Amino acid sequence: MSVSSSTTAGPGLCSLGVEPGTDRASGSASSNGLLWNQDTGPAGFAACGLDGQLRNAPQARDFVADTLSGWALDSLVTDAALVVSELVTNAVQHAVDPAAPGIGDYPVWLGIFLHPGDLVCAVTDPSSIPPRPHEAAEDALVGRGLALISALSDTWSWELTPPRGKTVWAALPLPPHGPDTA
């Protein structure tokens, strides 16, 4: 099953076994540069390369929604989309320096995969600086991302990713009944 999306917000590479520049479903050229296909990789794994811009958060949400729908896990879409949106936003705001040499076209990578009992959402970025939870003021418009991730996931953590950077991940419990049935 190939999954298509209505995402049109700029460049990104969301793919498993799809050549860059080809359409997700038909293999033709894609005009928005955002590609993915959940059929060509290992069962229960999908990855998405992002260009490190703020527009990547909605791209990540769409990627997760389409992927989980394809995996019959629609009941996880809302929480997983919020978690990856926060993970990607943190990576873009705090870890990507556009002026840094050698970050490449896709400095942020989102991976989602099924692990026994969990859906794991992981974002890799080029910075080795760990995420730092903090208390946001009541009237603050930012600063609650890690608290949201903590509230929605069973656990979250981070680790260094050689040769540089880190991966921040969160595990959301799978529904006890397995994939959603219609």
Side-chain angles (χ1 to χ4, degrees), residues 59-79:
Q59 290 173 326
R61 287 190 300 269
D62 288 345
F63 172 72
V64 166
D66 287 348
T67 302
L68 294 181
S69 291
W71 292 348
L73 291 170
D74 294 283
S75 63
L76 291 178
V77 168
T78 301
D79 288 353

Side-chain angles (χ1 to χ4, degrees), residues 72-136:
L73 291 170
D74 294 283
S75 63
L76 291 178
V77 168
T78 301
D79 288 353
L82 180 55
V83 166
V84 300
S85 182
E86 294 299 331
L87 290 172
V88 168
T89 298
N90 284 348
V92 169
Q93 288 185 332
H94 304 293
V96 176
D97 177 2
I103 66 165
D105 291 338
Y106 304 107
V108 177
W109 280 87
L110 164 63
I112 58 173
F113 60 93
L114 299 176
H115 188 266
D118 292 310
L119 170 73
V120 178
C121 306
V123 172
T124 300
D125 66 54
S127 173
S128 60
I129 299 171
R132 290 182 225 120
H134 65 275
E135 291 289 322

